[in-house]
């Protein structure tokens, strides 16, 4: 009786799977038609605001169906469906800080899905260059970590290049000790990116005090360095362990609440999604109360500032520029009016992007 019921349920699941497959193909056909219209009207293939609205609508609708399928998996499932359907319109090319299996690639997949041509490059600057040269449509770069702080090089490049922030990804980082040899006592060298080594400083001091710590350009490169040496280990992701044939010796050796913010960069500011953030940079006049006076238009127009970070301008000693995040999209009248006023008060001003907030 039990086996008959089991087979009956499996048959029903098979039928539903077939219906899902049929509907996926129908969706893909519609995506092809959408792609033709976009190309005829010279519209962008990738519209992050549209994709965000799809996710939010489906997450809300899931309550109607009892949430038997967990709502937290709606976004990743439909991200891959949308990514695959988008590839029928055009294959996006996305550059990221490589090699394969870096956290930056993980963030890129989190944002764009798997059905994208990913281009690993050696430096953050190379990500910007690939877009400028037309070899990539978008790029993904790290900008901030909750433990190690701002990636200043990324901020400097945003000021100097004519590109825009089109999105952001907040990724929880889990760092593991990985290697060929499971015996920690045999490890003489530990490879990783300097931020990862810093984040795991306490664990390394307690558990591998005599191991030499060697900085390399990425956690994935660290895994590559450790794959042929039984006396070496790397601090990297589980994905890096899988790709380079290493085993996880110790899990989660970094500090808790370790999150990294990544920026998606491209050539154009995307349309508003309804839940957006605008990032800009400005400098100050050399006068008393300059910061207060410059930021006053935000208060005047009711704009919420969520972040401000200062950096040396590199033009002259003790001269600073300020990277600022505010709520809202540049196309909103009150945001535009506030920033127009702010620009008039600043010797240097640049909009770095308006984009959907990370969920």
């Amino acid at each position: 009786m039990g086996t008959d019921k089991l087979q009956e349920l499996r048959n029903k699941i098979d039928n539903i799977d077939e219906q899902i497959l049929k509907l996926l193909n129908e969706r893909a056909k519609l995506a092809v038609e959408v792609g033709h219209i976009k190309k005829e009207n010279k519209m962008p293939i990738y519209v992050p605001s549209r994709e965000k609205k799809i996710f939010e609508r489906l997450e809300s609708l899931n309550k109607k169906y009892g949430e038997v399928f967990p709502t937290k998996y709606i976004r990743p499932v439909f991200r891959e469906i949308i990514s695959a359907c988008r590839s029928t319109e055009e294959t996006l090319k996305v550059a990221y800080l490589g090699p394969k299996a870096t956290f930056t690639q993980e963030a890129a997949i989190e944002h764009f899905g798997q059905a994208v041509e990913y281009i690993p490059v050696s430096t953050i600057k190379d990500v910007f260059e690939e877009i400028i040269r037309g070899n990539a449509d978008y790029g993904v770069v790290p900008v901030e970590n909750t433990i190690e702080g701002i990636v200043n090089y990324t901020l400097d490049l945003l000021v100097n290049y004519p590109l825009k922030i089109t999105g952001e990804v907040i990724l929880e980082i889990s760092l593991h000790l990985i290697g060929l040899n499971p015996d920690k006592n045999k490890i003489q060298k530990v490879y990783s990116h300097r931020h990862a080594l810093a984040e795991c400083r306490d664990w390394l001091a307690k558990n591998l005090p005599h191991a030499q710590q060697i900085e390399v350009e990425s956690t994935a490169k660290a895994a590559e360095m450790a794959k042929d040496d039984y006396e070496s280990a790397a601090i990297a992701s589980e994905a890096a362990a899988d790709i380079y044939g290493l085993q996880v010796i110790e899990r989660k050796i970094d500090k808790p609440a370790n999150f990294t913010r990544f920026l998606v960069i491209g050539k154009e500011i995307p349309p508003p999604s309804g839940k957006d953030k605008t990032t800009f940079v400005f400098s100050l006049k050399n006068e008393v109360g300059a910061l207060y006076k410059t930021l006053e238009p935000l208060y005047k127009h009711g704009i919420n500032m969520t972040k401000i970070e200062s950096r040396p301008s590199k033009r002259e000693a003790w001269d600073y520029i300020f990277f600022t995040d505010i709520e809202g999209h540049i196309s909103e009248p009150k945001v535009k009016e506030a920033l127009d006023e702010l620009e008039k008060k600043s010797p240097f001003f640049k909009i770095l992007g308006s984009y959907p907030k990370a969920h």
Side-chain angles (χ1 to χ4, degrees), residues 9-27 29:
L9 292 173
R10 284 175 172 170
N11 290 340
K12 287 182 178 179
I13 287 174
D14 288 344
N15 288 333
I16 290 171
D17 287 343
E18 188 172 340
Q19 291 175 49
I20 292 172
L21 186 60
K22 179 184 176 184
L23 290 171
L24 287 175
N25 278 277
E26 289 182 16
R27 193 188 194 285
K29 288 175 184 175

PDB file of all heavy atoms in Angstrom, residues 9-27 29:
ATOM      1  N   LEU A   9       2.553   9.460  -5.893  1.00  0.00           N
ATOM      2  CA  LEU A   9       3.057  10.808  -5.616  1.00  0.00           C
ATOM      3  C   LEU A   9       4.203  11.164  -6.564  1.00  0.00           C
ATOM      4  O   LEU A   9       4.295  12.297  -7.045  1.00  0.00           O
ATOM      5  CB  LEU A   9       3.532  10.901  -4.160  1.00  0.00           C
ATOM      6  CG  LEU A   9       2.423  10.804  -3.093  1.00  0.00           C
ATOM      7  CD1 LEU A   9       3.029  10.725  -1.701  1.00  0.00           C
ATOM      8  CD2 LEU A   9       1.477  11.993  -3.186  1.00  0.00           C
ATOM      9  N   ARG A  10       5.065  10.182  -6.817  1.00  0.00           N
ATOM     10  CA  ARG A  10       6.176  10.438  -7.745  1.00  0.00           C
ATOM     11  C   ARG A  10       5.670  10.732  -9.152  1.00  0.00           C
ATOM     12  O   ARG A  10       6.221  11.590  -9.851  1.00  0.00           O
ATOM     13  CB  ARG A  10       7.122   9.232  -7.760  1.00  0.00           C
ATOM     14  CG  ARG A  10       8.018   9.152  -6.524  1.00  0.00           C
ATOM     15  CD  ARG A  10       8.849   7.894  -6.517  1.00  0.00           C
ATOM     16  NE  ARG A  10       9.824   7.922  -5.422  1.00  0.00           N
ATOM     17  CZ  ARG A  10      10.550   6.877  -5.056  1.00  0.00           C
ATOM     18  NH1 ARG A  10      10.404   5.706  -5.681  1.00  0.00           N
ATOM     19  NH2 ARG A  10      11.416   6.979  -4.064  1.00  0.00           N
ATOM     20  N   ASN A  11       4.632  10.021  -9.561  1.00  0.00           N
ATOM     21  CA  ASN A  11       4.045  10.279 -10.883  1.00  0.00           C
ATOM     22  C   ASN A  11       3.487  11.698 -10.970  1.00  0.00           C
ATOM     23  O   ASN A  11       3.631  12.381 -11.995  1.00  0.00           O
ATOM     24  CB  ASN A  11       2.943   9.260 -11.193  1.00  0.00           C
ATOM     25  CG  ASN A  11       3.497   7.864 -11.443  1.00  0.00           C
ATOM     26  OD1 ASN A  11       4.677   7.705 -11.755  1.00  0.00           O
ATOM     27  ND2 ASN A  11       2.654   6.848 -11.293  1.00  0.00           N
ATOM     28  N   LYS A  12       2.854  12.139  -9.879  1.00  0.00           N
ATOM     29  CA  LYS A  12       2.316  13.503  -9.847  1.00  0.00           C
ATOM     30  C   LYS A  12       3.444  14.535  -9.924  1.00  0.00           C
ATOM     31  O   LYS A  12       3.330  15.552 -10.620  1.00  0.00           O
ATOM     32  CB  LYS A  12       1.497  13.719  -8.560  1.00  0.00           C
ATOM     33  CG  LYS A  12       0.149  12.999  -8.567  1.00  0.00           C
ATOM     34  CD  LYS A  12      -0.621  13.299  -7.290  1.00  0.00           C
ATOM     35  CE  LYS A  12      -1.993  12.627  -7.324  1.00  0.00           C
ATOM     36  NZ  LYS A  12      -2.757  12.894  -6.079  1.00  0.00           N
ATOM     37  N   ILE A  13       4.533  14.257  -9.209  1.00  0.00           N
ATOM     38  CA  ILE A  13       5.680  15.170  -9.248  1.00  0.00           C
ATOM     39  C   ILE A  13       6.262  15.219 -10.656  1.00  0.00           C
ATOM     40  O   ILE A  13       6.601  16.294 -11.167  1.00  0.00           O
ATOM     41  CB  ILE A  13       6.749  14.736  -8.217  1.00  0.00           C
ATOM     42  CG1 ILE A  13       6.268  15.051  -6.797  1.00  0.00           C
ATOM     43  CG2 ILE A  13       8.087  15.441  -8.490  1.00  0.00           C
ATOM     44  CD1 ILE A  13       7.161  14.535  -5.696  1.00  0.00           C
ATOM     45  N   ASP A  14       6.367  14.059 -11.305  1.00  0.00           N
ATOM     46  CA  ASP A  14       6.881  14.010 -12.686  1.00  0.00           C
ATOM     47  C   ASP A  14       6.010  14.845 -13.618  1.00  0.00           C
ATOM     48  O   ASP A  14       6.520  15.564 -14.497  1.00  0.00           O
ATOM     49  CB  ASP A  14       6.949  12.566 -13.193  1.00  0.00           C
ATOM     50  CG  ASP A  14       8.062  11.765 -12.530  1.00  0.00           C
ATOM     51  OD1 ASP A  14       8.958  12.395 -11.924  1.00  0.00           O
ATOM     52  OD2 ASP A  14       8.039  10.521 -12.625  1.00  0.00           O
ATOM     53  N   ASN A  15       4.686  14.754 -13.439  1.00  0.00           N
ATOM     54  CA  ASN A  15       3.761  15.520 -14.282  1.00  0.00           C
ATOM     55  C   ASN A  15       3.926  17.029 -14.047  1.00  0.00           C
ATOM     56  O   ASN A  15       3.911  17.829 -15.002  1.00  0.00           O
ATOM     57  CB  ASN A  15       2.311  15.107 -13.998  1.00  0.00           C
ATOM     58  CG  ASN A  15       1.989  13.724 -14.547  1.00  0.00           C
ATOM     59  OD1 ASN A  15       2.606  13.282 -15.510  1.00  0.00           O
ATOM     60  ND2 ASN A  15       1.032  13.038 -13.933  1.00  0.00           N
ATOM     61  N   ILE A  16       4.075  17.401 -12.773  1.00  0.00           N
ATOM     62  CA  ILE A  16       4.267  18.823 -12.451  1.00  0.00           C
ATOM     63  C   ILE A  16       5.590  19.312 -13.030  1.00  0.00           C
ATOM     64  O   ILE A  16       5.667  20.411 -13.590  1.00  0.00           O
ATOM     65  CB  ILE A  16       4.210  19.040 -10.930  1.00  0.00           C
ATOM     66  CG1 ILE A  16       2.781  18.821 -10.425  1.00  0.00           C
ATOM     67  CG2 ILE A  16       4.697  20.451 -10.559  1.00  0.00           C
ATOM     68  CD1 ILE A  16       2.651  18.798  -8.916  1.00  0.00           C
ATOM     69  N   ASP A  17       6.644  18.495 -12.910  1.00  0.00           N
ATOM     70  CA  ASP A  17       7.944  18.874 -13.471  1.00  0.00           C
ATOM     71  C   ASP A  17       7.843  19.109 -14.975  1.00  0.00           C
ATOM     72  O   ASP A  17       8.454  20.052 -15.516  1.00  0.00           O
ATOM     73  CB  ASP A  17       8.992  17.793 -13.192  1.00  0.00           C
ATOM     74  CG  ASP A  17       9.432  17.764 -11.738  1.00  0.00           C
ATOM     75  OD1 ASP A  17       9.177  18.760 -11.022  1.00  0.00           O
ATOM     76  OD2 ASP A  17      10.037  16.755 -11.317  1.00  0.00           O
ATOM     77  N   GLU A  18       7.062  18.265 -15.637  1.00  0.00           N
ATOM     78  CA  GLU A  18       6.895  18.421 -17.088  1.00  0.00           C
ATOM     79  C   GLU A  18       6.155  19.725 -17.408  1.00  0.00           C
ATOM     80  O   GLU A  18       6.492  20.428 -18.358  1.00  0.00           O
ATOM     81  CB  GLU A  18       6.138  17.218 -17.669  1.00  0.00           C
ATOM     82  CG  GLU A  18       6.100  17.221 -19.185  1.00  0.00           C
ATOM     83  CD  GLU A  18       5.511  15.937 -19.756  1.00  0.00           C
ATOM     84  OE1 GLU A  18       5.481  14.922 -19.040  1.00  0.00           O
ATOM     85  OE2 GLU A  18       5.079  15.982 -20.919  1.00  0.00           O
ATOM     86  N   GLN A  19       5.146  20.044 -16.572  1.00  0.00           N
ATOM     87  CA  GLN A  19       4.418  21.298 -16.768  1.00  0.00           C
ATOM     88  C   GLN A  19       5.337  22.501 -16.543  1.00  0.00           C
ATOM     89  O   GLN A  19       5.294  23.487 -17.285  1.00  0.00           O
ATOM     90  CB  GLN A  19       3.242  21.368 -15.798  1.00  0.00           C
ATOM     91  CG  GLN A  19       2.118  20.376 -16.090  1.00  0.00           C
ATOM     92  CD  GLN A  19       1.038  20.426 -15.019  1.00  0.00           C
ATOM     93  OE1 GLN A  19       0.551  21.496 -14.660  1.00  0.00           O
ATOM     94  NE2 GLN A  19       0.666  19.266 -14.489  1.00  0.00           N
ATOM     95  N   ILE A  20       6.203  22.403 -15.503  1.00  0.00           N
ATOM     96  CA  ILE A  20       7.152  23.482 -15.236  1.00  0.00           C
ATOM     97  C   ILE A  20       8.086  23.662 -16.422  1.00  0.00           C
ATOM     98  O   ILE A  20       8.350  24.791 -16.857  1.00  0.00           O
ATOM     99  CB  ILE A  20       7.962  23.191 -13.943  1.00  0.00           C
ATOM    100  CG1 ILE A  20       7.044  23.262 -12.710  1.00  0.00           C
ATOM    101  CG2 ILE A  20       9.126  24.180 -13.793  1.00  0.00           C
ATOM    102  CD1 ILE A  20       7.696  22.794 -11.424  1.00  0.00           C
ATOM    103  N   LEU A  21       8.576  22.546 -16.967  1.00  0.00           N
ATOM    104  CA  LEU A  21       9.482  22.602 -18.114  1.00  0.00           C
ATOM    105  C   LEU A  21       8.797  23.251 -19.331  1.00  0.00           C
ATOM    106  O   LEU A  21       9.390  24.077 -20.028  1.00  0.00           O
ATOM    107  CB  LEU A  21       9.970  21.192 -18.470  1.00  0.00           C
ATOM    108  CG  LEU A  21      11.029  21.083 -19.560  1.00  0.00           C
ATOM    109  CD1 LEU A  21      12.287  21.845 -19.163  1.00  0.00           C
ATOM    110  CD2 LEU A  21      11.350  19.622 -19.856  1.00  0.00           C
ATOM    111  N   LYS A  22       7.533  22.875 -19.550  1.00  0.00           N
ATOM    112  CA  LYS A  22       6.775  23.463 -20.658  1.00  0.00           C
ATOM    113  C   LYS A  22       6.636  24.974 -20.466  1.00  0.00           C
ATOM    114  O   LYS A  22       6.837  25.763 -21.405  1.00  0.00           O
ATOM    115  CB  LYS A  22       5.389  22.808 -20.746  1.00  0.00           C
ATOM    116  CG  LYS A  22       4.511  23.370 -21.859  1.00  0.00           C
ATOM    117  CD  LYS A  22       3.120  22.748 -21.823  1.00  0.00           C
ATOM    118  CE  LYS A  22       2.213  23.388 -22.865  1.00  0.00           C
ATOM    119  NZ  LYS A  22       0.825  22.870 -22.796  1.00  0.00           N
ATOM    120  N   LEU A  23       6.318  25.392 -19.231  1.00  0.00           N
ATOM    121  CA  LEU A  23       6.139  26.810 -18.942  1.00  0.00           C
ATOM    122  C   LEU A  23       7.460  27.575 -19.044  1.00  0.00           C
ATOM    123  O   LEU A  23       7.486  28.732 -19.472  1.00  0.00           O
ATOM    124  CB  LEU A  23       5.538  26.985 -17.542  1.00  0.00           C
ATOM    125  CG  LEU A  23       4.071  26.548 -17.395  1.00  0.00           C
ATOM    126  CD1 LEU A  23       3.657  26.555 -15.933  1.00  0.00           C
ATOM    127  CD2 LEU A  23       3.151  27.453 -18.208  1.00  0.00           C
ATOM    128  N   LEU A  24       8.565  26.920 -18.666  1.00  0.00           N
ATOM    129  CA  LEU A  24       9.869  27.558 -18.800  1.00  0.00           C
ATOM    130  C   LEU A  24      10.179  27.846 -20.266  1.00  0.00           C
ATOM    131  O   LEU A  24      10.718  28.912 -20.610  1.00  0.00           O
ATOM    132  CB  LEU A  24      10.972  26.683 -18.199  1.00  0.00           C
ATOM    133  CG  LEU A  24      11.025  26.598 -16.666  1.00  0.00           C
ATOM    134  CD1 LEU A  24      12.080  25.595 -16.225  1.00  0.00           C
ATOM    135  CD2 LEU A  24      11.326  27.962 -16.059  1.00  0.00           C
ATOM    136  N   ASN A  25       9.835  26.909 -21.142  1.00  0.00           N
ATOM    137  CA  ASN A  25      10.059  27.122 -22.567  1.00  0.00           C
ATOM    138  C   ASN A  25       9.152  28.221 -23.117  1.00  0.00           C
ATOM    139  O   ASN A  25       9.573  29.019 -23.968  1.00  0.00           O
ATOM    140  CB  ASN A  25       9.852  25.813 -23.334  1.00  0.00           C
ATOM    141  CG  ASN A  25      11.087  24.929 -23.282  1.00  0.00           C
ATOM    142  OD1 ASN A  25      12.025  25.100 -24.059  1.00  0.00           O
ATOM    143  ND2 ASN A  25      11.092  23.982 -22.358  1.00  0.00           N
ATOM    144  N   GLU A  26       7.924  28.292 -22.622  1.00  0.00           N
ATOM    145  CA  GLU A  26       7.023  29.369 -23.041  1.00  0.00           C
ATOM    146  C   GLU A  26       7.557  30.719 -22.571  1.00  0.00           C
ATOM    147  O   GLU A  26       7.499  31.719 -23.304  1.00  0.00           O
ATOM    148  CB  GLU A  26       5.616  29.123 -22.486  1.00  0.00           C
ATOM    149  CG  GLU A  26       4.895  27.954 -23.149  1.00  0.00           C
ATOM    150  CD  GLU A  26       3.480  27.756 -22.622  1.00  0.00           C
ATOM    151  OE1 GLU A  26       2.955  28.692 -21.967  1.00  0.00           O
ATOM    152  OE2 GLU A  26       2.915  26.665 -22.856  1.00  0.00           O
ATOM    153  N   ARG A  27       8.086  30.734 -21.348  1.00  0.00           N
ATOM    154  CA  ARG A  27       8.668  31.980 -20.828  1.00  0.00           C
ATOM    155  C   ARG A  27       9.872  32.393 -21.664  1.00  0.00           C
ATOM    156  O   ARG A  27      10.067  33.575 -21.969  1.00  0.00           O
ATOM    157  CB  ARG A  27       9.091  31.795 -19.369  1.00  0.00           C
ATOM    158  CG  ARG A  27       9.420  33.096 -18.665  1.00  0.00           C
ATOM    159  CD  ARG A  27      10.028  32.863 -17.286  1.00  0.00           C
ATOM    160  NE  ARG A  27      10.038  34.065 -16.474  1.00  0.00           N
ATOM    161  CZ  ARG A  27      10.860  35.092 -16.607  1.00  0.00           C
ATOM    162  NH1 ARG A  27      11.770  35.071 -17.578  1.00  0.00           N
ATOM    163  NH2 ARG A  27      10.796  36.149 -15.812  1.00  0.00           N
ATOM    164  N   LYS A  29      10.421  31.734 -24.810  1.00  0.00           N
ATOM    165  CA  LYS A  29       9.958  32.250 -26.109  1.00  0.00           C
ATOM    166  C   LYS A  29       9.533  33.712 -26.001  1.00  0.00           C
ATOM    167  O   LYS A  29       9.825  34.529 -26.885  1.00  0.00           O
ATOM    168  CB  LYS A  29       8.777  31.405 -26.613  1.00  0.00           C
ATOM    169  CG  LYS A  29       9.164  30.002 -27.079  1.00  0.00           C
ATOM    170  CD  LYS A  29       7.929  29.187 -27.448  1.00  0.00           C
ATOM    171  CE  LYS A  29       8.310  27.754 -27.816  1.00  0.00           C
ATOM    172  NZ  LYS A  29       7.112  26.917 -28.063  1.00  0.00           N
TER     173      LYS A  29
END
